[in-house]
Amino acid sequence: MTGLLAGMLCLLAQAASASTLFFEDFKDNGANVAPGLLQYNWDDANHDMVVTETRTGELVEFNTTANGWHFNSYSFDYPASDTLTWDASQHQYLQAYFPWKNDSDLIALQAKIDGGGITGDMWANRLDNAQQWYHTQPTLVDVNAMFGLTGVHEIQFRFFFISTQYAADAPNEHIVEGTWDWVRGGMRAGANINIAKYCVGWPAASGDATPVRCGFVGPPDGAPTGTSHPTLDWTAPAGYPDVKYTVTLSQDPHFRGPTTITVHDLPHSQLTIGPLDLGTWYWTVIPVNYDDIAGQDMFKGMSAYWNDPQYYTYYSFEVDSTVPTELSHFVFE
């Protein structure tokens, strides 16, 4: 992006709450994340796991097999080569947002604690929204309860994915694929977690999450803006007036790639941003409370229950002019 835009983003961003021990936005960089690791391959055939495509916050691998069903999984570590100091008297919660994991079956949280081996039952330490397989909102977990922590510890977290998908055009190629958006952790013991509430247990037919998310206002969905400096506008989530906002927009409908822009810690429910390149831009907002607990992102719809990105629909607008908003008002009024 241009220097003007970069400067504006710096002015808009505020310092994160002191209670947050760590926060990693994988759209921005993800530099502290270890590469994806092949964990298991359970089949009777020879296999060759090759990383064919990696992007920030995304891993796609192909495992070529001779025949038969098999089971694959991979993980990534955070931080990549260090540990986080975790004081259980001060830190309790971790949130992670995995917008989709394609045809994977499980996301779990494990950890290396005080230099020991990996610990945590991947079947019990679920990170798929309390078994909400829709993945429409961030997962919140009590790290102290999950790992039985008291006192001060050095921790490296491991996020564990399982996949059972075959390549449609090559049945003998097994795809291990998933995305992650952000991870934040170390929110204080006693934090107000109501903004992250969701159903517990396997979802019934009507068992979708109980989201706290912002309301869409504008610009008009899918319409041209007449300016390269559009104003994004949304409403505060009902019952949560004291929140800040994370806004993401991109020319990729799933918020990946170099056009993706993320602005953190906005104090107001409006953002004028630009200059933006011509074309379609998609955008979403996540509310975050004073304890750094996040609600659900603002998406327009979801056409199916499974976690493939094609099922998510976000609000969009069309940048059809390079004329700044102020100049367009001067000329046409």
Side-chain angles (χ1 to χ4, degrees), residues 27 161 303 309:
K27 297 185 300 298
F161 289 69
S303 62

Side-chain angles (χ1 to χ4, degrees), residues 98-107 126-137 139 198-209 302-309 311-312:
F98 301 90
W100 63 283
K101 54 187 177 68
N102 211 308
D103 287 341
S104 300
D105 187 48
L106 171 73
I107 296 177
R126 299 290 291 266
L127 263 185
D128 51 356
N129 299 332
Q131 300 186 11
Q132 285 292 332
W133 40 292
Y134 306 161
H135 272 253
T136 56
Q137 72 181 79
T139 297
Y198 44 74
C199 297
V200 177
W202 195 258
S206 60
D208 201 354
M302 188 169 159
S303 62
Y305 290 151
W306 205 248
N307 306 317
D308 192 293
Y311 297 146
Y312 289 79

